[in-house]
Amino acid sequence: MYYLIKLKKAFLEILFPPVCLSCKRHITEQENYLCHLCATKIFINKTLICPVCRARLADNRKTCHKKSLYLLAAAAFYDDETVKNLIWRLKYRNEKAAAAPLAKILTEHIKLTGLIGATGPLKPKNTILVPIPLHPARERQRGFNQSFLLAEKLAENLNLTLANSLLREKNTKPQAEIEDLKKRRENVVDCFIANNTGEIKGKNILLVDDVSTSGSTLNEAAKVLKAAGAKKIIGLVAARAR
């Protein structure tokens, strides 16, 4: 049976050779949906960010605004055309394969910042991955939650626990459709609730989403997680707006 599956896969790759999700060049299976050339062009950030003033944090541990509920770990910038293309394909073209290269970018960012490990601010045994949830109606419409797919891949890459510890109660308007920053904040007020406080209490949390623009969604989610007993929260996104 295994031999037949491999044979079928090889036959399909002859008929439909895999191509880079960004530039459409033919790629090998090892290139993971993104060709080497496109992958090496992506600038991956080496520091965490203060979510309030967007200053780089030299030690990747303390924010310059102590009242902030989380630190921002943004792997890349949203104006990077390759990263933007991958996110667009994942969210709006339903190409779930794009989650793999995005998770790889996130994994590389975590390694470069030293975020998790013996000397990092987070220890693996006390850290969980929590994806930003979609409202059930929105998830049914899309067919999946892109943040969950990213968190799922990261759980595999980093050997961390994935927990659906948040629920989205309000079916809010997509943040991308709102330009005014004040209205963005108002749009997500009280839209999340904690799903399982037992998973959250005393844990460090990597709060996973695809993009951070104003930070309103991450801040609202972090507020709920903190109230449920979470310790340190890192908002982990594939890209952020400059």
Side-chain angles (χ1 to χ4, degrees), residues 29-216:
E29 185 178 348
Q30 288 71 31
E31 285 180 298
N32 202 21
Y33 305 108
L34 200 63
C35 75
H36 179 71
L37 184 61
C38 287
T40 54
K41 286 181 179 178
I42 298 169
F43 177 81
I44 300 178
N45 291 307
K46 300 177 179 63
T47 61
L48 302 188
I49 303 293
C50 170
V52 178
C53 67
R54 299 296 173 117
R56 292 180 177 273
L57 305 177
D59 62 359
N60 289 329
R61 289 173 182 266
K62 297 177 182 178
T63 181
C64 41
H65 286 76
K66 297 186 183 301
K67 290 185 179 180
S68 174
L69 297 173
Y70 70 99
L71 301 181
L72 180 60
F77 293 107
Y78 193 59
D79 57 8
D80 183 306
E81 286 301 320
T82 300
V83 175
K84 187 175 183 178
N85 189 20
L86 287 171
I87 293 171
W88 183 80
R89 287 177 175 277
L90 177 61
K91 289 180 73 170
Y92 304 114
R93 290 284 299 273
N94 294 344
E95 295 185 28
K96 295 181 184 180
L102 286 170
K104 187 175 181 180
I105 293 166
L106 284 163
T107 302
E108 183 64 20
H109 175 60
I110 288 171
K111 290 178 180 177
L112 289 173
T113 57
L115 188 57
I116 301 174
T119 58
L122 303 183
K123 304 298 182 285
K125 66 179 181 179
N126 199 41
T127 300
I128 61 174
L129 291 158
V130 176
I132 292 288
L134 291 176
H135 187 271
R138 182 78 55 78
E139 187 166 348
R140 284 194 298 270
Q141 183 181 32
R142 181 170 291 170
F144 61 92
N145 175 9
Q146 72 277 1
S147 298
F148 177 83
L149 292 183
L150 291 176
E152 191 174 42
K153 293 291 183 183
L154 280 169
E156 295 173 8
N157 294 350
L158 303 170
N159 195 27
L160 292 177
T161 298
L162 171 59
N164 279 315
S165 300
L166 286 174
L167 293 176
R168 196 169 196 135
E169 279 196 309
K170 295 181 181 179
N171 192 5
T172 56
K173 186 176 181 180
Q175 292 287 80
E177 297 178 9
I178 304 172
E179 293 186 8
D180 184 78
L181 293 181
K182 183 180 178 182
K183 289 182 179 178
R184 277 176 174 258
R185 288 192 292 269
E186 292 172 350
N187 186 53
V188 293
V189 167
D190 296 331
C191 71
F192 300 114
I193 59 170
N195 184 31
N196 188 339
T197 56
E199 293 177 327
I200 301 168
K201 191 172 182 180
K203 290 293 197 321
N204 295 318
I205 292 175
L206 288 174
L207 184 58
V208 182
D209 205 0
D210 54 349
V211 179
S212 174
T213 303
S214 67
S216 300

